[in-house]
Amino acid sequence: MRNNNRQIIIFTVIIIAICFISVIVFTLPSFIEQFNLSTKSNIGSAIGGITAPVIGIVSSILLYLALTRQTQSNIDQRLKNESDIIFLLLNQLDNEISSFYYNFTETKGTEKKEFNYTGVQGLNVFVQKLKAEHALSNFKYTFKAFYQSNQILLIIRSFLLIEKRIEISQLSQELKDMFKQKLDSVYQCRLKESFKQLLEVIDKNPHVKDSVSQEMNEFYKGHN
């Protein structure tokens, strides 16, 4: 920005200097009578007629430079908006993962104890409870009967939305790759292992399979 301002100032000073010098040059005696303006009464009109095209060309150049910079500024702003949208979606996905919750109650004798888990821990505990207690073997409904299945679908669809948004954005390929790496890290660190174990449990209990488990299975296969 400073370099651009410096160039504009220098260019303006040069134009002003040329205008002053032109007055001196045009009023000097000339060895060709037709070019001798020092004795003519309409010297102002003559100088104006000579300098007007030059000033017009300079004005056109400055206008072109201004439009070019405005266009570039609009492009930069659009790319910034694209990046901001993707960052917003990533934060939303992070919140959805963190908001996942699983709670259950255990009874020992006459005492009841309630357990509440959230986030990745909640997802892991949900999967481990299904595995350890074989809860699905006598389950009379399909997987979508669990409230947690809707939470998982929400995460999956948000994940796919971010992937699509990155793909259709006008960002450079380098930035797209960086966002994809970020998204893949979220999957590898926070979702992959839990999804893998949950699908293994569902495969061992085919009677609970439904559209939710199918969508989850397609997502898992598509990212491995």
Side-chain angles (χ1 to χ4, degrees):
M1 183 62 71
R2 291 182 179 178
N3 289 334
N4 292 337
N5 292 336
R6 188 180 300 128
Q7 291 175 1
I8 293 174
I9 293 173
I10 293 174
F11 189 72
T12 303
V13 171
I14 292 174
I15 294 299
I16 294 173
I18 291 175
C19 290
F20 280 107
I21 293 173
S22 64
V23 175
I24 298 173
V25 172
F26 293 149
T27 56
L28 290 175
S30 175
F31 61 90
I32 300 177
E33 182 62 25
Q34 287 78 2
F35 288 97
N36 187 5
L37 303 176
S38 60
T39 59
K40 296 185 181 295
S41 59
N42 60 345
I43 185 172
S45 299
I47 293 175
I50 294 173
T51 57
V54 177
I55 295 175
I57 294 173
V58 171
S59 299
S60 299
I61 294 174
L62 291 175
L63 180 60
Y64 170 76
L65 292 176
L67 291 175
T68 301
R69 289 182 180 177
Q70 183 62 43
T71 301
Q72 184 60 45
S73 176
N74 292 339
I75 293 174
D76 293 341
Q77 184 62 42
R78 185 169 65 251
L79 295 179
K80 180 181 180 302
N81 291 340
E82 289 278 2
S83 299
D84 289 344
I85 290 173
I86 295 174
F87 275 121
L88 181 64
L89 291 174
L90 284 170
N91 288 334
Q92 180 179 329
L93 175 63
D94 185 68
N95 289 334
E96 289 169 357
I97 295 175
S98 299
S99 299
F100 182 97
Y101 72 89
Y102 174 59
N103 62 317
F104 61 93
T105 302
E106 286 187 353
T107 303
K108 292 184 178 180
T110 58
E111 183 180 354
K112 291 184 178 180
K113 187 173 182 181
E114 186 173 344
F115 297 87
N116 296 283
Y117 298 93
T118 59
V120 177
Q121 184 184 27
L123 180 58
N124 290 334
V125 172
F126 172 64
V127 175
Q128 295 306 318
K129 289 288 288 184
L130 293 183
K131 288 179 61 177
E133 298 180 1
H134 303 285
L136 295 182
S137 58
N138 298 318
F139 195 63
K140 298 180 180 180
Y141 306 96
T142 60
F143 181 65
K144 67 174 63 175
F146 289 103
Y147 175 76
Q148 287 73 23
S149 67
N150 293 320
Q151 297 185 76
I152 292 173
L153 272 188
L154 178 63
I155 293 171
I156 289 175
R157 290 171 180 174
S158 294
F159 195 100
L160 295 174
L161 174 62
I162 298 173
E163 282 187 328
K164 185 64 177 179
R165 186 67 195 186
I166 293 173
E167 191 62 35
I168 66 175
S169 70
Q170 298 182 3
L171 299 174
S172 66
Q173 190 59 47
E174 181 180 3
L175 278 176
K176 286 184 178 182
D177 291 340
M178 292 176 64
F179 278 123
K180 288 178 181 178
Q181 289 172 2
K182 167 69 174 177
L183 194 58
D184 183 65
S185 297
V186 172
Y187 174 73
Q188 296 292 336
C189 297
R190 310 188 70 181
L191 301 174
K192 180 180 178 180
E193 188 59 32
S194 295
F195 281 10
K196 176 184 176 182
Q197 295 185 37
L198 181 55
L199 288 171
E200 289 175 352
V201 174
I202 293 175
D203 284 339
K204 292 179 181 178
N205 299 271
H207 62 284
V208 301
K209 289 184 177 181
D210 55 21
S211 58
V212 176
S213 62
Q214 178 64 26
E215 187 171 341
M216 183 179 176
N217 187 52
E218 290 175 357
F219 174 80
Y220 178 78
K221 289 181 177 179
H223 294 80
N224 289 278

